[in-house]
Structure formats: C-alpha cells, structure tokens
Amino acid sequence: MNMKINENFLKLSENFLFSLIAKKVKAFKEKNTDKEVISLGIGDVSLPLSKVVIDALVSASYEMGVKETFRGYPPEFGYDFIKDSIRKYYKKNNVDLDLDEVFVCDGAKSDLGNMVEILGDNRIVIPDPVYPVYVDSNMMAGRNILLLEGNEDNGFLPMPDGLSLEESVIYLCSPNNPTGAVYTRYQLEKWVEYAIKSRSLIIFDSAYEAFIRGDYPHSIFEIEGAKSCCVEISSFSKLAGFTGLRCSYSIVPKEILGGVFNKIWGRRQATKFNGVAWPVQKAAEAALTEAGLKACHENIDYYLENARILSNVLKKHNIWHTGGFNSPYLWVKCPKNMGSWEFFDYLLENAYIVTTPGVGFGESGEGYVRLTSFSTKENTIEAARRLDIILENLR
Ligand code: MLT
C-alpha cells in the first residue's frame, strides 16, 4: 500500500499515558495474583451515581421503550433542558450564558481534542506538566507547541510573564490536573489580560471546579473580558461521577471572532457528533438539581477527606506535595531524588500502589508522582498505611 498517513501520529509516544499505566499494572497483577493492588492512578471515581441521578436515568431509559415517549437522535448540541440547567449552574457564580453558547458532548477529553480541528496553525501555549490530551492532540495536528514550565517556585501555576505578545491558543486547567494547584482570581485576570492584548484564545479546562472549596474562580467567565477570548470545557465526570456515563459541555461564547468560532464549532459538532443519549442528558439534568448537587458535594467531600488522609501521611514524612485541597489530586515529590517512573515502579512493587508518574504529564513533571483521592475510603486508608511504611523505610 502506498497510502499517505498523518505522520504527526508517528511522533507521539507509543501509548497514551493512562493506557501505558494500565498495561504495566495488568502485567504486574498477572505475575502477582496474591497482591492486593490499590489504584491511586487514573482519576476515576469509585462512588456510585447518586439516587437522584439513577432515578432520572432509569425513568428516561423506560421512556425509550414506550411508543409515546421514545426518542431518536438527540439535538447535536444537547436538549434545551440540560443547556438551561448548565446556564443556571453558571448563574450561581454570576456568569451569564446564552443557550446557544452551550454545547453538550460525551466528554471533556473529546472536546479538548476535537477543538484543535477548528483552529488554524497558531502558536500553542501549554503549561507543563498538564493533562496530556492538550499536547497529544496538538501534536497530531502538527502544531508548534510552546511549553510553560511549572515548578515549585511558581506553585505549578505558570503565568504569561515574559511571554511574547503573539496570537496563541493557550490551554489552562484549574484546579490543575495533575498538580491540584488552583489559579487565583488575580492570576486568571492576568491571563485574560494577556489573551486580550495578544489577541489569543484561552481554552479553559474546568473539569475539577466542583472540588473548589476556597475563594477561587470556578469558571474563567467570572473574569471580566473572558467572554471575548476564552472557551471553557467542563464535565459531569468529576462533578457527578459520570466517568462511565459520559456527559460534558463546552461553553463557546458568541463574542469570540464575532460569532464565527461558535458557529464553526457547531458546524463541526453537527457533522461529526450525534449528541448525547436522552437518558444520560436526563441524568445530567438531575445532577444539577438542588438534590443532585447536594449528593455531588457529599461525594466530593468524601474524596477530599481521602486527599486529607494521604496528605497527612506525606506531611508526617516531610514529603513536599501540593494539591489535595480544592482538588482530588496530590502532586508529590519523589523521595531520595527518584525519577517519576522509578518511584512509580517502587510503589507498585513494594506497596502495590498504582500512582501516575509526573513525567507522563510533561518534562517538568519529572521527579514527581500524582496520587488521586478518587479511591474508596478503605483503600485510601490502607494505601496511606502502606505509604507510611514505605516512606519510613526510605528515610
Ligand atoms: C486523569 O486521571 O487525569 C483523568 O481521569 C483522565 C481523564 O479525565 O481523562
């Protein structure tokens, strides 16, 4: 065959980060069937969906089996009822949205990756370390990527200081995956100011906003001027435990490029996406009701308590870490100057704990691992007990 392929794909690492970890863990489990492996790796929730959500899901599923209430293709951008619920959810933070600025989808990962398609060959600015989807999907498109180093000095929250005034597409994630660091209002104001001055676009990933308990913006649109230069991508996965159900949304303001960006995103979605299933949209709507949000926040409090348990054991051994407050992730410096993969292997082999190597999120993540608090309380307590022993031995 003499077909041309997109050679950009050949420049990617062979496996997506979480697929590689899953392979390694599978191989370890096959060889060590007697070991109880605990995952503090991928940020997948462990608590079941709330009753409010399940009731909506079940009743909407039954409707699909009844002639009068059966529904076929959903609207590509979401039913008005769910868009309206999202609009009201934003209103709690004094953000006004129009219904046609809300696009419901099957996952933030899809939208983050797909949005590259409607952007031309701009400079891409991405903090490092960060959720690997931003870099990988821009590499697939052959884009020119500028990484902004996150480190202990800047609290893993790079700022635009020193960045040349060039039209760019900038990815920001706050609360940050993987570091758990959260941009303050002042810092986001600086980013929006930079975007306006440099005529750039910010793609703001707020998938973890529901974990914010302190006084930080939940949405980039809380910042004045943001609607002219930012889109926001968020999800029901971490808010309401929808990792297995799949529902997310993107907010694409009509102010960007005089409405063109909103229009072509809609054009892209209408061509390549057929909407989210009716029962899932009804479940998402239920998650945003008062009772639904109460249940979501109870679950998030549970995960935040797990984070506190993990943080306590790290503190006991003077291990530098960030996150865990306002975020489900703890970003942990490897002891004894170990590399990320080295400590990953060490914990897997000696404590049967799965983590995520920091370097998998970018070069600036070398020397760190990420722990997630999404496990069950029992497993988190047991993981903390094992960590305590391991860290004692490594002193
Ligand atoms: C993570 O562990 O970083 C996330 O769960 C992955 C994702 O949201 O796709």
Side-chain angles (χ1 to χ4, degrees):
M1 196 182 285
N2 204 14
M3 177 188 47
K4 290 187 188 119
I5 55 160
N6 178 349
E7 295 198 354
N8 294 319
F9 277 69
L10 303 178
K11 296 177 197 148
L12 297 167
S13 55
E14 193 181 330
N15 290 290
F16 183 60
L17 174 64
F18 294 107
S19 319
L20 175 61
I21 294 168
K23 270 191 192 172
K24 275 189 167 252
V25 173
K26 187 166 177 273
F28 179 83
K29 281 183 177 169
E30 277 166 8
K31 277 202 205 130
N32 300 275
T33 46
D34 57 327
K35 303 287 186 284
E36 246 181 69
V37 176
I38 296 178
S39 176
L40 304 182
I42 191 166
D44 197 0
V45 294
S46 57
L47 292 174
L49 295 162
S50 69
K51 176 157 177 1
V52 187
V53 163
I54 287 295
D55 286 348
L57 188 64
V58 169
S59 94
S61 301
Y62 274 113
E63 285 173 17
M64 295 295 273
V66 175
K67 189 164 171 264
E68 287 71 28
T69 50
F70 166 77
R71 285 171 172 82
Y73 291 122
E76 304 100 327
F77 312 147
Y79 285 100
D80 278 354
F81 66 80
I82 179 68
K83 293 199 277 182
D84 195 45
S85 297
I86 293 167
R87 180 167 67 171
K88 288 182 182 133
Y89 184 62
Y90 272 69
K91 191 68 194 159
K92 289 180 201 285
N93 292 317
N94 294 318
V95 173
D96 290 311
L97 301 175
D98 285 346
L99 283 196
D100 52 8
E101 292 176 316
V102 182
F103 294 82
V104 176
C105 187
D106 67 346
K109 188 185 195 182
S110 317
D111 280 2
L112 286 161
N114 292 334
M115 212 162 265
V116 175
E117 272 182 30
I118 66 161
L119 287 157
D121 193 6
N122 306 287
R123 177 176 77 170
I124 306 295
V125 176
I126 306 182
D128 175 17
V130 90
Y131 184 40
V133 173
Y134 315 156
V135 170
D136 283 7
S137 41
N138 277 289
M139 279 181 70
M140 289 170 184
R143 298 286 183 256
N144 177 15
I145 302 171
L146 174 71
L147 294 173
L148 289 188
E149 188 188 332
N151 50 42
E152 287 175 35
D153 291 340
N154 60 22
F156 288 95
L157 292 167
M159 294 298 294
D161 319 320
L163 202 57
S164 61
L165 276 187
E166 190 180 317
E167 289 170 16
S168 311
V169 176
I170 302 158
Y171 286 77
L172 296 180
C173 177
S174 179
N176 185 269
N177 179 9
T179 67
V182 195
Y183 279 114
T184 63
R185 188 169 302 274
Y186 175 77
Q187 288 173 315
L188 289 180
E189 280 167 2
K190 289 285 157 209
W191 269 115
V192 168
E193 195 180 296
Y194 172 83
I196 292 172
K197 262 200 208 145
S198 61
R199 303 160 70 88
S200 297
L201 174 75
I202 294 176
I203 298 183
F204 190 77
D205 178 351
S206 65
Y208 298 92
E209 63 75 30
F211 281 76
I212 295 177
R213 292 289 183 267
D215 183 20
Y216 298 93
H218 287 243
S219 162
I220 191 72
F221 301 124
E222 290 176 48
I223 308 299
E224 210 184 314
K227 276 193 110 183
S228 67
C229 60
C230 302
V231 301
E232 181 160 307
I233 298 181
S234 201
S235 168
F236 287 86
S237 285
K238 312 295 154 81
L239 164 69
F242 272 45
T243 52
L245 213 49
R246 312 307 306 145
C247 194
S248 68
Y249 56 87
S250 289
I251 310 293
V252 185
K254 286 178 287 186
E255 279 148 64
I256 301 172
L257 295 176
V260 173
F261 200 73
N262 174 287
K263 216 167 139 185
I264 62 171
W265 177 245
R267 186 69 178 82
R268 190 260 168 224
Q269 291 298 83
T271 307
K272 298 196 179 183
F273 180 62
N274 251 345
V276 174
W278 163 255
V280 175
Q281 294 199 43
K282 289 304 283 181
E285 180 194 33
L288 293 181
T289 59
E290 210 183 309
L293 285 172
K294 185 169 173 284
C296 290
H297 283 287
E298 280 166 13
N299 286 1
I300 290 171
D301 285 343
Y302 172 100
Y303 296 131
L304 287 171
E305 172 62 14
N306 285 349
R308 198 189 56 78
I309 293 167
L310 293 169
S311 176
N312 281 349
V313 77
L314 296 169
K315 277 188 200 141
K316 179 177 166 194
H317 294 278
N318 286 322
I319 301 289
W320 186 96
H321 62 284
T322 181
F325 297 100
N326 305 303
S327 158
Y329 298 128
L330 291 108
W331 182 244
V332 182
K333 191 165 190 158
C334 304
K336 300 256 178 210
N337 287 324
M338 283 194 208
S340 294
W341 279 110
E342 192 187 353
F343 194 44
F344 169 91
D345 286 334
Y346 189 85
L347 285 177
L348 182 59
E349 282 156 24
N350 297 287
Y352 326 125
I353 295 174
V354 182
T355 58
T356 309
V359 71
F361 297 99
E363 285 304 315
S364 308
E366 180 54 286
Y368 298 83
V369 293
R370 189 193 75 175
L371 306 183
T372 162
S373 64
F374 279 123
S375 193
T376 61
K377 176 138 304 151
E378 300 69 42
N379 279 350
T380 304
I381 291 170
E382 172 57 16
R385 189 191 68 79
R386 295 182 197 173
L387 267 177
D388 192 14
I389 298 168
I390 288 284
L391 294 173
E392 189 61 44
N393 290 343
L394 282 173
R395 256 178 210 270

